Amino acid sequence: LQAHFLVESLKHLQTRIDSRNWAEEKYFELKKQNQNLPLEMKKAPANVISNGYLQVSIAKNSFKELSAKLKEFGIGTGNVYPSPMSAQVGAKSLIEGEPLLVTNNRVTYEICTKVTNLPLFPYITDSEIQAVMNALKNI
Protein backbone atom coordinates (compact mmCIF):
# COMPACT_ATOMS: atom_id res chain seq x y z
CA LEU A 1 0.00 0.00 0.00
CA GLN A 2 2.80 2.42 0.88
CA ALA A 3 4.70 1.57 -2.29
CA HIS A 4 1.58 2.17 -4.39
CA PHE A 5 1.03 5.52 -2.68
CA LEU A 6 4.62 6.55 -3.42
CA VAL A 7 4.40 5.44 -7.05
CA GLU A 8 1.26 7.53 -7.46
CA SER A 9 2.89 10.46 -5.63
CA LEU A 10 5.84 10.42 -8.03
CA LYS A 11 3.45 11.32 -10.84
CA HIS A 12 2.91 14.67 -9.11
CA LEU A 13 6.48 15.32 -8.00
CA GLN A 14 7.41 17.82 -10.73
CA THR A 15 4.17 19.75 -10.20
CA ARG A 16 4.95 20.00 -6.49
CA ILE A 17 8.52 21.14 -7.17
CA ASP A 18 7.26 23.72 -9.68
CA SER A 19 4.73 24.95 -7.12
CA ARG A 20 7.44 25.38 -4.48
CA ASN A 21 9.76 27.14 -6.94
CA TRP A 22 6.96 29.50 -7.92
CA ALA A 23 6.37 30.29 -4.24
CA GLU A 24 10.05 30.93 -3.60
CA GLU A 25 10.17 33.36 -6.54
CA LYS A 26 7.02 35.07 -5.24
CA TYR A 27 8.75 35.64 -1.88
CA PHE A 28 11.71 37.25 -3.65
CA GLU A 29 9.42 39.37 -5.83
CA LEU A 30 7.58 40.68 -2.77
CA LYS A 31 10.84 41.19 -0.90
CA LYS A 32 11.98 43.61 -3.65
CA GLN A 33 8.92 45.74 -2.83
CA ASN A 34 9.58 45.56 0.92
CA GLN A 35 13.24 46.17 1.68
CA ASN A 36 12.78 46.86 5.39
CA LEU A 37 11.92 43.37 6.63
CA PRO A 38 13.31 41.73 9.79
CA LEU A 39 15.21 39.13 7.75
CA GLU A 40 17.41 38.64 4.72
CA MET A 41 16.16 36.09 2.20
CA LYS A 42 18.78 33.82 0.69
CA LYS A 43 18.72 32.35 -2.78
CA ALA A 44 20.50 29.28 -4.12
CA PRO A 45 23.61 30.11 -6.18
CA ALA A 46 22.98 30.70 -9.90
CA ASN A 47 24.58 27.38 -10.87
CA VAL A 48 22.36 25.37 -8.49
CA ILE A 49 18.97 24.05 -9.54
CA SER A 50 16.65 24.48 -6.56
CA ASN A 51 14.10 21.83 -5.72
CA GLY A 52 12.13 24.40 -3.76
CA TYR A 53 12.25 22.24 -0.65
CA LEU A 54 12.60 25.15 1.72
CA GLN A 55 13.02 28.88 1.89
CA VAL A 56 16.08 30.05 3.82
CA SER A 57 16.35 33.47 5.44
CA ILE A 58 18.59 34.97 8.08
CA ALA A 59 16.75 36.87 10.82
CA LYS A 60 18.24 40.24 11.72
CA ASN A 61 18.03 39.39 15.42
CA SER A 62 17.24 35.75 16.16
CA PHE A 63 15.09 32.92 14.87
CA LYS A 64 13.38 32.52 18.25
CA GLU A 65 12.42 36.18 18.41
CA LEU A 66 11.19 36.38 14.81
CA SER A 67 9.40 33.05 15.07
CA ALA A 68 7.53 34.17 18.20
CA LYS A 69 6.41 37.39 16.52
CA LEU A 70 5.28 35.59 13.37
CA LYS A 71 3.38 33.09 15.53
CA GLU A 72 1.32 36.02 16.85
CA PHE A 73 0.14 36.49 13.24
CA GLY A 74 -0.58 32.76 12.87
CA ILE A 75 2.52 32.16 10.74
CA GLY A 76 4.60 29.07 11.45
CA THR A 77 8.35 28.96 10.83
CA GLY A 78 11.20 26.52 11.16
CA ASN A 79 14.96 26.36 11.57
CA VAL A 80 16.42 23.36 9.77
CA TYR A 81 19.99 24.41 10.63
CA PRO A 82 19.90 24.85 14.43
CA SER A 83 23.60 23.98 14.80
CA PRO A 84 26.69 23.70 12.61
CA MET A 85 27.24 20.40 10.80
CA SER A 86 30.42 19.86 12.80
CA ALA A 87 28.40 19.95 16.04
CA GLN A 88 25.84 17.37 14.96
CA VAL A 89 26.23 13.93 16.47
CA GLY A 90 26.01 12.12 13.15
CA ALA A 91 28.78 14.21 11.58
CA LYS A 92 31.36 14.23 14.36
CA SER A 93 32.80 10.80 13.59
CA LEU A 94 33.12 11.67 9.89
CA ILE A 95 35.10 14.88 10.32
CA GLU A 96 38.78 14.46 9.61
CA GLY A 97 41.33 17.11 10.47
CA GLU A 98 40.22 20.71 10.95
CA PRO A 99 36.51 20.92 10.07
CA LEU A 100 35.30 23.77 7.92
CA LEU A 101 32.77 24.70 10.58
CA VAL A 102 34.64 24.15 13.83
CA THR A 103 32.44 23.68 16.87
CA ASN A 104 33.94 26.64 18.72
CA ASN A 105 33.33 29.04 15.82
CA ARG A 106 30.96 31.58 17.40
CA VAL A 107 30.11 33.14 14.01
CA THR A 108 28.81 29.81 12.72
CA TYR A 109 26.76 29.30 15.87
CA GLU A 110 25.39 32.84 15.63
CA ILE A 111 24.25 32.28 12.05
CA CYS A 112 22.56 29.04 13.11
CA THR A 113 20.53 30.94 15.73
CA LYS A 114 19.24 33.24 12.96
CA VAL A 115 18.33 30.75 10.22
CA THR A 116 14.61 31.09 9.57
CA ASN A 117 12.56 29.01 7.15
CA LEU A 118 9.35 30.69 6.04
CA PRO A 119 6.33 28.61 5.01
CA LEU A 120 6.99 26.91 1.67
CA PHE A 121 5.00 23.86 0.69
CA PRO A 122 3.41 22.47 -2.46
CA TYR A 123 0.40 24.44 -3.60
CA ILE A 124 0.91 27.33 -1.16
CA THR A 125 -1.30 30.12 -2.43
CA ASP A 126 -0.53 33.68 -3.37
CA SER A 127 -2.70 34.92 -0.49
CA GLU A 128 -0.82 32.70 2.00
CA ILE A 129 2.51 34.11 0.84
CA GLN A 130 1.07 37.62 1.01
CA ALA A 131 -0.06 36.96 4.60
CA VAL A 132 3.51 35.97 5.53
CA MET A 133 4.90 39.10 3.90
CA ASN A 134 2.27 41.32 5.56
CA ALA A 135 3.16 39.85 8.93
CA LEU A 136 6.87 40.49 8.26
CA LYS A 137 6.11 44.09 7.31
CA ASN A 138 4.26 44.59 10.60
CA ILE A 139 7.11 43.32 12.77
Side-chain angles (χ1 to χ4, degrees):
L1 186 59
Q2 289 176 338
H4 179 72
F5 176 79
L6 290 174
V7 167
E8 291 301 312
S9 292
L10 285 174
K11 295 175 184 176
H12 306 281
L13 182 60
Q14 191 59 52
T15 303
R16 291 177 180 157
I17 291 171
D18 292 345
S19 173
R20 288 174 180 262
N21 286 333
W22 168 85
E24 184 178 34
E25 286 304 315
K26 185 70 176 177
Y27 273 123
F28 283 106
E29 177 186 316
L30 293 172
K31 169 67 173 154
K32 287 179 189 174
Q33 301 167 16
N34 303 286
Q35 294 297 316
N36 194 25
L37 296 179
L39 50 72
E40 180 184 339
M41 293 182 181
K42 298 295 185 181
K43 200 169 203 164
N47 61 340
V48 173
I49 298 172
S50 174
N51 66 2
Y53 181 69
L54 57 95
Q55 190 287 323
V56 177
S57 296
I58 305 296
K60 289 184 179 172
N61 294 323
S62 77
F63 163 73
K64 287 182 181 180
E65 180 183 318
L66 182 57
S67 180
K69 288 179 180 179
L70 284 169
K71 190 173 184 177
E72 292 174 13
F73 289 93
I75 308 294
T77 58
N79 178 337
V80 297
Y81 302 112
S83 65
M85 287 295 295
S86 58
Q88 295 179 16
V89 176
K92 284 185 179 182
S93 65
L94 302 174
I95 296 173
E96 295 179 10
E98 185 67 21
L100 179 62
L101 302 173
V102 293
T103 56
N104 62 355
N105 184 335
R106 67 179 171 75
V107 174
T108 304
Y109 275 93
E110 183 179 339
I111 290 170
C112 288
T113 66
K114 295 180 177 188
V115 170
T116 303
N117 306 111
L118 298 176
L120 184 68
F121 48 87
Y123 316 117
I124 187 172
T125 66
D126 186 65
S127 61
E128 289 169 324
I129 294 171
Q130 192 64 56
V132 173
M133 295 303 287
N134 286 340
L136 288 167
K137 284 191 286 187
N138 287 305
I139 293 176

